[in-house]
Amino acid sequence: MLAMPQAQAATVSVQLKDTIKQGSGSIDLFRAKQQKNNLSAADLEAMRTEHGGSLIFAVDVNEAANGSEKASSQGVAIESAVLTVVVGGNSSSFSSFSTPTESMLAKVGSSERKLYYTLIGQTGSSLITPSSNSELNGSSYDALITMPVNMALDSATSATLDITLLETNTSLGDPEAFYDYTAGFEDLALVSVEDSTFLAGLAPGQSEAPLVITQGQVLNPIDSWVYYPSAVEYYIAAYEDNYPAKSDYDFNDLVVGYRVGLGMADDKVSSLIVYGYIIARGSGFTHDWYLHIGLPDEASGSGTVNLFKAGSSEQESGYPKSISQSGSFDQRLLQGTKSLMQIPGLEFANTEAQISLIQGQKFSVSFDFDTPLNLEDVALPPYDPYLYVTNTGYEIHLPQFASRLGNSVNSAEGVGGFKNEQGYPFAVIIPEDWEPPLEHVDLGEAYSSFLGYVSSSGTQNTSWYTLPSESKIKGIGKGFWKWD
């Protein structure tokens, strides 16, 4: 049975009556969800003292499990949070706050990304505290908000928390699409040290979200990591390698999955990590695969490139390799793809209907900057993953990028633009659930909505990659190619 807050104010969490609805909420700290549990000013002060001069709120994230959000991971971002306290007729406001996670996000109407605190959760996270005395026992609370309050609250006559969630520019895709808010509502609770500590360790939904996650895999000291597209998901880069000719346009000539992590220290980018896999190779040509991440000219650093044999912790001959560079990060991470991913006696790998699948090599990079960078000075994801086709001498980039290699035909002949006259690209980035067309099957035949996407210059059929003709794709599946 729940003990009365007045008796155990410092140890028992209390759910609050007011909620965040459609992006905003005005939360009266004196009104509990159950009136019998209403907090007094003395209770608030006891909780503030218990947390070393802060009030800590738990939030039940309640968002629609659609798009890039799902039942196991969903989130919102906070634009502002202000606590207003009235003592003796005088009003004081506190607007400094923090949450365990942050993400670079663009507000609606803008494409400029800034750092915002985020709230991450999942549907039905249970037993949020082992304490049967706590009102949160068995509840579905997810995230925490910590708000420093540098005044005593035991004489307060009013205490109201006003929260505004960030309306994100969802047209940019992730991470904005993940952190948008819907018509759902978020419950709040004032929590004890026991519950806040338990919840911080539980971190529901965080491992699958585009967010900041504590980790340490590089030489520089790191406070946290920002992952794109998320800590567990990958971008898929797929190429048609007969550029500038459209050829069979099956977009399986090389398929690579990759994700990037930015290591943060004191709100600056101190390190960089990359993880990736070769997924498919349906070409008679061979290639080198590069990843270019735009950085300031003064950036410099060093690191290591690893290349692991398929399904193994053993590295390929010549690896690991030490790297160093200045300016933008621009490294060849795969060399000679035809010799890397091959089935003896066959031309292609993972693109033919009747041929068994094989796993591809895994690669990783750790890179430490000599001097930490401002996060806003790092180029936006999905960055510039590009191909150098050894047989033809051409580079192949996403349409918005320019060639970079001085020895390529593109540079020698001044060839630019990575679309043909009809607007068809030669490189695309799609989410990891995508599966490539079978050998010699046009991308527009395997994914019929792609034609409308191209003809509208990318303004329509933006989810074309989710609607395949099942008989015309190679069912590789992320559970297979992400072999760990």
Side-chain angles (χ1 to χ4, degrees):
M1 182 176 179
L2 178 69
M4 292 298 291
Q6 288 78 3
Q8 296 186 3
T11 59
V12 178
S13 300
V14 174
Q15 300 183 70
L16 301 173
K17 182 176 180 62
D18 299 318
T19 64
I20 301 172
K21 297 178 181 179
Q22 297 183 330
S24 64
S26 185
I27 317 300
D28 184 346
L29 273 55
F30 288 122
R31 292 209 308 168
K33 192 170 185 178
Q34 298 183 51
Q35 188 174 357
K36 66 177 182 177
N37 296 328
N38 283 349
L39 292 166
S40 67
D43 296 328
L44 291 183
E45 176 59 15
M47 299 188 87
R48 188 189 76 90
T49 302
E50 183 182 39
H51 288 292
S54 295
L55 291 177
I56 298 185
F57 300 85
V59 182
D60 177 9
V61 180
N62 182 30
E63 293 298 302
N66 54 30
S68 56
E69 292 175 277
K70 48 196 171 186
S72 59
S73 184
Q74 49 197 244
V76 293
I78 301 177
E79 183 169 14
S80 66
V82 179
L83 176 65
T84 303
V85 178
V86 177
V87 176
N90 297 316
S91 178
S92 300
S93 294
F94 304 91
S95 58
S96 177
F97 69 95
S98 64
T99 71
T101 59
E102 299 172 89
S103 184
M104 290 290 288
L105 300 167
K107 189 176 180 179
V108 65
S110 172
S111 59
E112 179 184 359
R113 285 183 169 130
K114 298 180 181 179
L115 199 60
Y116 290 93
Y117 284 110
T118 58
L119 300 170
I120 311 297
Q122 59 186 207
T123 300
S125 45
S126 60
L127 197 60
I128 218 63
T129 169
S131 172
S132 59
N133 277 336
S134 174
E135 195 176 354
L136 302 194
N137 180 254
S139 72
S140 58
Y141 280 84
D142 305 290
L144 297 170
I145 303 173
T146 298
M147 178 156 283
V149 181
N150 61 356
M151 64 177 287
L153 300 177
D154 51 357
S155 299
T157 56
S158 173
T160 304
L161 176 64
D162 289 294
I163 295 183
T164 301
L165 301 182
L166 181 71
E167 187 175 0
T168 59
N169 185 355
T170 56
S171 66
L172 298 177
D174 278 336
E176 284 78 12
F178 182 92
Y179 289 107
D180 67 330
Y181 62 81
T182 61
F185 60 90
E186 275 71 40
D187 288 312
L188 284 87
L190 272 165
V191 291
S192 65
V193 168
E194 179 186 31
D195 284 348
S196 63
T197 300
F198 188 87
L199 185 53
L202 192 63
Q206 290 187 15
S207 65
E208 299 180 59
L211 54 91
V212 173
I213 291 182
T214 301
Q215 205 186 78
Q217 295 184 355
V218 292
L219 298 179
N220 283 343
I222 299 297
D223 298 329
S224 55
W225 288 96
V226 181
Y227 278 104
Y228 296 104
S230 84
V232 295
E233 295 175 312
Y234 290 76
Y235 295 114
I236 303 298
Y239 302 88
E240 175 54 52
D241 70 359
N242 209 31
Y243 175 85
K246 189 168 178 278
S247 190
D248 60 7
Y249 211 67
D250 55 14
F251 262 89
N252 61 24
D253 296 334
L254 187 69
V255 183
V256 176
Y258 68 100
R259 73 167 180 253
V260 174
L262 303 180
M264 306 296 296
D266 295 327
D267 293 328
K268 289 184 178 290
V269 181
S270 182
S271 300
L272 169 76
I273 56 176
V274 181
Y275 299 108
Y277 297 86
I278 308 178
I279 298 173
R281 186 194 58 75
S283 176
F285 292 162
T286 191
H287 330 89
D288 297 339
W289 188 82
Y290 291 75
L291 181 61
H292 162 225
I293 300 174
L295 301 171
D297 292 341
E298 63 271 19
S300 64
S302 59
T304 302
V305 177
N306 306 293
L307 183 63
F308 298 92
K309 294 180 179 180
S312 173
S313 59
E314 181 183 353
Q315 298 214 39
E316 294 282 0
S317 177
Y319 290 86
K321 291 182 178 180
S322 297
I323 57 173
S324 62
Q325 71 171 89
S326 59
S328 292
F329 180 90
D330 191 356
Q331 290 290 328
R332 179 175 61 188
L333 304 185
L334 299 172
Q335 183 177 10
T337 56
K338 191 170 185 177
S339 62
L340 286 176
M341 190 179 201
Q342 58 176 304
I343 300 175
L346 298 179
E347 183 77 354
F348 311 125
N350 292 357
T351 65
E352 296 179 287
Q354 304 304 318
I355 305 300
S356 298
L357 294 169
I358 65 168
Q359 293 175 326
Q361 283 84 353
K362 176 183 179 180
F363 59 89
S364 65
V365 181
S366 61
F367 190 85
D368 293 296
F369 293 107
D370 296 327
T371 302
L373 308 174
N374 293 323
L375 187 55
E376 58 267 26
D377 291 333
V378 179
L380 297 176
Y383 313 110
D384 176 21
Y386 66 96
L387 210 59
Y388 175 71
V389 185
T390 305
N391 306 71
T392 65
Y394 281 104
E395 297 174 54
I396 302 176
H397 294 252
L398 297 169
Q400 64 268 37
F401 292 98
S403 57
R404 297 188 56 81
L405 302 177
N407 63 337
S408 69
V409 174
N410 313 66
S411 298
E413 297 182 355
V415 177
F418 294 97
K419 288 183 178 181
N420 69 7
E421 294 179 353
Q422 290 76 41
Y424 286 88
F426 290 82
V428 294
I429 303 293
I430 48 268
E432 65 174 29
D433 288 328
W434 182 78
E435 294 176 316
L438 291 169
E439 195 61 38
H440 304 308
V441 174
D442 189 288
L443 180 61
E445 185 180 352
Y447 292 85
S448 58
S449 298
F450 179 73
L451 302 178
Y453 174 78
V454 171
S455 63
S456 67
S457 299
T459 61
Q460 299 177 17
N461 296 341
T462 54
S463 298
W464 62 267
Y465 50 83
T466 65
L467 301 170
S469 174
E470 296 293 343
S471 64
K472 297 178 180 180
I473 60 172
K474 184 66 173 180
I476 300 176
K478 61 185 179 182
F480 178 83
W481 61 259
K482 288 200 299 187
W483 49 261
D484 198 23

